[in-house]
Amino acid sequence: MLARRTPGQGTVCRLARLARLPGLDDMSDMGDLGGVVLALGGSTGDSPTAPPLAARDSVVRLTALIRRLAELPDPPRLWIASRQDGPAAATTGPRGVLRAAAYELPRLTASIIDFTSGTDLTEVAADILVAHPVIEISWRDGVRHVAHLRSGSPEEPAAGSRPLIRGGSSYLVSGGLTGLGLATAQWLAAQGADHLILVGRSAPTGDAEKTFARLRESGTVVNVVQGDIADSAVTARATAAAGERPLRGVIHAAGVVEDATLANVDEDLLHRVWRGKAEGAWALHTATAGQDLDFFVLYSSLASLIGSPGQSMYAAANTFLDDLADWRAARGLPATAIHWGAWARTGRGQHLADRGFVMISPEDGTDALGRILTAGHTRVAYSPIEAGAYAKGFPAVAASELLAEFGLAGDDGDSALLDEVLAAETDGRRTSLIQDHIITLTRQILGGTSQHIGPATSLVILGLDSLCAVRLRAQLENSLKTSIDPGVIWVRPTPAGLTEWIMNRMGLRSGEGAGA
Ligand SMILES: NC(=O)c1ccc[n+]([C@@H]2O[C@H](COP(=O)([O-])OP(=O)(O)OC[C@H]3O[C@@H](n4cnc5c(N)ncnc54)[C@H](OP(=O)(O)O)[C@@H]3O)[C@@H](O)[C@H]2O)c1
């Protein structure tokens, strides 16, 4: 349908099935290929496939396509288009993938457009033919919306607000045996929850048992349900554990965080990340249908909101939570998805403190949770992150419409470096400019490490992992306006080796066009 609306004057639209993507090879021969539209399977609302699995399938298909496009010397613009009417659109997971891909594959310009049935597809097609920057467009009931992030400060609870926690009630926390889930369980008890149902696959650690003992001493009943939250038998057991005390609140904090660049992800990794998060959220949604809940909270991540290099699958799984919250809220069901930034002292993000991230203390995080629930938000991010610093060096991210309010577009403050390199009169000067730049970037990426970094220092031994390498490569490509092969940092892992490779790539040696 969309294809029929797409061709305008002089526009040719070719249809290809994703399964036959070798067809892309033919497309790459077409010098004037303006873009690729991946039309994903529409709403999953009335589909026989469970929404989280349908959304996961879209992620698999998109990832395969992105890999193909990224191999092309000049990747065509990519649009993801889909009809959305159900709890999770086919664009749900892909949105997270694209937000992360903007860091890893800055040469790929990719946007999303989704629409409810009844939308005039001529307008959708018109959008696709415009040279937008990275943009996310939703057509709802004939109205066009563009996703924008707005900054704000947490509200103070209004005087006389109703207490969040009711006596004689039960509260379920998935992933409640460790990390943020356990901190949340302690907070719930401190707010007066007298029955906690905590779900996790592993048995509680000794430290967790000590925490439970303290909670029990102060009068809270702690009920541990061991099992996979995505398994409907486990969710049934967990909700039944409420017994005489009705279930009033659900906090879905279960999740697996596993990072890999888009070039390295596979379906097993996607499955591990997807299971607890997306399938777990759906199982909880289904198991609590008809219960009179005060809140249903989904612990999402900043990664699904503004992307994060190396976290495409994790971001995708979190977008399922984000869209589920919107869908529930639209049906009058309690729903809050929180895009958390990194927490200090507990959970999987603790190490980010060493990378210079501003962290959320558990006290601050749980206090924010209370304020977010009192304010009644459906989708909210809580993070002290400075967006400009985070997106610096990633032009595709900075130029995204999503972050337009932050005024980051065009802020590639490093371009002066290229002018200086081109104006330098000797190879030695060019070498030291690039080398110093690599050292400065590495130091920043490693959170301001005080370790010595010299021209011969191995960045790998220094601690540069594949995700840091993605950042370094993207920032070098941006500041030197050249493309750097993905694997080169591993083959030339020192500032001197990398500089030599870049000098050759850019033809910067004397007599090879330097200073031209
Ligand atoms: N830490 C942060 O800074 C941060 C930032 C943003 C968002 N978040 C989100 O907050 C949540 C908690 O993160 P965290 O850092 O505290 O991670 P964590 O310490 O690894 O805790 C996650 C918990 O979920 C459980 N879990 C995983 N899959 C499960 C499944 N299928 N069924 C039942 N339990 C399962 C894990 O235990 P088992 O493996 O034994 O089941 C673990 O106890 C996650 O959803 C994460 O995405 C965290």
Side-chain angles (χ1 to χ4, degrees):
M1 291 289 283
L2 188 58
R4 265 189 244 135
R5 306 299 203 289
T6 304
Q9 213 177 6
T11 307
V12 178
C13 182
R14 289 182 55 186
L15 289 174
R17 283 197 174 279
L18 196 56
R20 288 182 49 238
L21 265 186
L24 265 187
D25 296 334
D26 314 336
M27 291 184 187
S28 64
D29 292 340
M30 291 174 60
D32 57 352
L33 181 65
V36 172
V37 180
L38 175 60
L40 288 171
S43 160
T44 57
D46 43 12
S47 143
T49 311
L53 297 183
R56 194 182 75 188
D57 183 52
S58 295
V59 170
V60 173
R61 297 166 72 198
L62 172 63
T63 305
L65 175 60
I66 284 183
R67 283 195 181 150
R68 299 297 310 278
L69 294 179
E71 283 165 12
L72 300 176
D74 188 13
R77 196 188 204 309
L78 172 64
W79 278 94
I80 313 294
S82 175
R83 183 165 64 83
Q84 165 159 30
D85 293 305
T91 50
T92 292
R95 181 175 299 113
V97 176
L98 291 193
R99 287 178 178 174
Y103 296 81
E104 294 182 37
L105 306 168
R107 289 186 305 124
L108 184 78
T109 308
S111 295
I112 281 201
I113 190 159
D114 61 28
F115 43 89
T116 42
S117 47
T119 303
D120 179 356
L121 292 187
T122 313
E123 306 209 72
V124 174
D127 253 331
I128 287 174
L129 293 176
V130 172
H132 291 295
V134 171
I135 192 167
E136 295 176 21
I137 301 170
S138 293
W139 283 90
R140 296 287 178 271
D141 304 320
V143 182
R144 181 179 183 273
H145 304 271
V146 173
H148 281 135
L149 197 59
R150 298 237 157 80
S151 56
S153 306
E155 297 96 335
E156 289 304 324
S161 313
R162 190 165 64 87
L164 286 168
I165 304 302
R166 297 199 227 176
S169 306
S170 300
Y171 295 87
L172 187 160
V173 185
S174 71
L177 307 181
T178 61
L180 272 57
L182 182 56
T184 305
Q186 289 172 266
W187 176 81
L188 287 167
Q191 303 302 303
D194 45 33
H195 183 208
L196 296 175
I197 304 161
L198 310 180
V199 188
R201 292 169 303 180
S202 315
T205 61
D207 282 350
E209 288 290 12
K210 282 184 200 152
T211 304
F212 300 155
R214 280 196 299 275
L215 294 178
R216 286 177 181 128
E217 267 168 34
S218 54
T220 307
V221 177
V222 179
N223 212 325
V224 172
V225 174
Q226 218 180 313
D228 182 346
I229 196 68
D231 178 343
S232 56
V234 174
T235 33
R237 215 161 13 103
T239 50
E244 297 298 301
R245 304 179 194 88
L247 188 62
R248 295 291 182 208
V250 171
I251 306 243
H252 179 44
V256 167
V257 186
E258 209 175 314
D259 298 345
T261 58
L262 270 159
N264 293 316
V265 294
D266 57 29
E267 285 201 43
D268 287 345
L269 182 144
L270 175 60
H271 173 74
R272 287 193 294 278
V273 171
W274 202 262
R275 175 88 184 157
K277 279 252 164 207
E279 292 174 54
W282 186 250
L284 281 166
H285 160 76
T286 311
T288 56
Q291 306 226 23
D292 185 16
L293 299 179
D294 293 332
F295 53 82
F296 185 96
V297 183
L298 300 152
Y299 276 12
S300 180
S301 163
L302 211 56
S304 68
L305 186 64
I306 61 171
S308 174
Q311 294 203 309
S312 54
M313 299 299 111
Y314 176 66
N318 279 295
T319 54
F320 186 84
L321 310 191
D322 308 337
D323 283 4
L324 179 60
D326 281 344
W327 185 78
R328 281 180 57 100
R331 274 145 195 82
L333 297 169
T336 304
I338 307 174
H339 300 274
W340 290 116
W343 283 43
R345 307 204 308 271
T346 191
R348 299 282 162 171
Q350 297 173 60
H351 66 286
L352 293 172
D354 304 334
R355 298 256 170 98
F357 276 64
V358 190
M359 308 292 284
I360 303 169
S361 71
E363 299 75 25
D364 183 22
T366 47
D367 177 61
L369 171 63
R371 282 183 285 154
I372 289 166
L373 288 178
T374 306
H377 293 292
T378 299
R379 286 273 296 278
V380 69
Y382 189 81
S383 171
I385 197 168
E386 212 264 283
Y390 191 74
K392 189 170 164 53
F394 297 105
V397 178
S400 152
E401 271 294 307
L402 187 71
L403 297 174
E405 188 191 284
F406 295 85
L408 312 175
D411 177 18
D412 62 348
D414 293 325
S415 59
L417 173 79
L418 182 59
D419 296 341
E420 217 180 332
V421 167
L422 292 177
E425 288 181 355
T426 63
D427 281 357
R429 176 72 185 139
R430 283 185 282 276
T431 300
S432 71
L433 280 169
I434 298 175
Q435 223 164 239
D436 290 352
H437 183 55
I438 291 172
I439 291 171
T440 305
L441 287 179
T442 306
R443 201 176 288 293
Q444 283 167 5
I445 289 167
L446 293 177
T449 175
S450 57
Q451 292 187 71
H452 169 76
I453 312 178
T457 305
S458 164
L459 305 183
V460 177
I461 291 176
L462 203 65
L464 196 90
D465 59 19
S466 61
L467 302 183
C468 295
V470 166
R471 280 186 171 264
L472 179 60
R473 177 175 159 239
Q475 297 194 18
L476 284 172
E477 286 188 337
N478 183 37
S479 50
L480 293 167
K481 307 289 174 249
T482 190
S483 71
I484 297 176
D485 294 353
V488 79
I489 291 173
W490 310 119
V491 185
R492 305 287 187 95
T494 62
L498 200 48
T499 300
E500 193 191 2
W501 188 93
I502 291 171
M503 297 266 289
N504 288 333
R505 160 58 56 95
M506 295 178 72
L508 286 176
R509 300 219 167 271
S510 300
E512 294 178 32

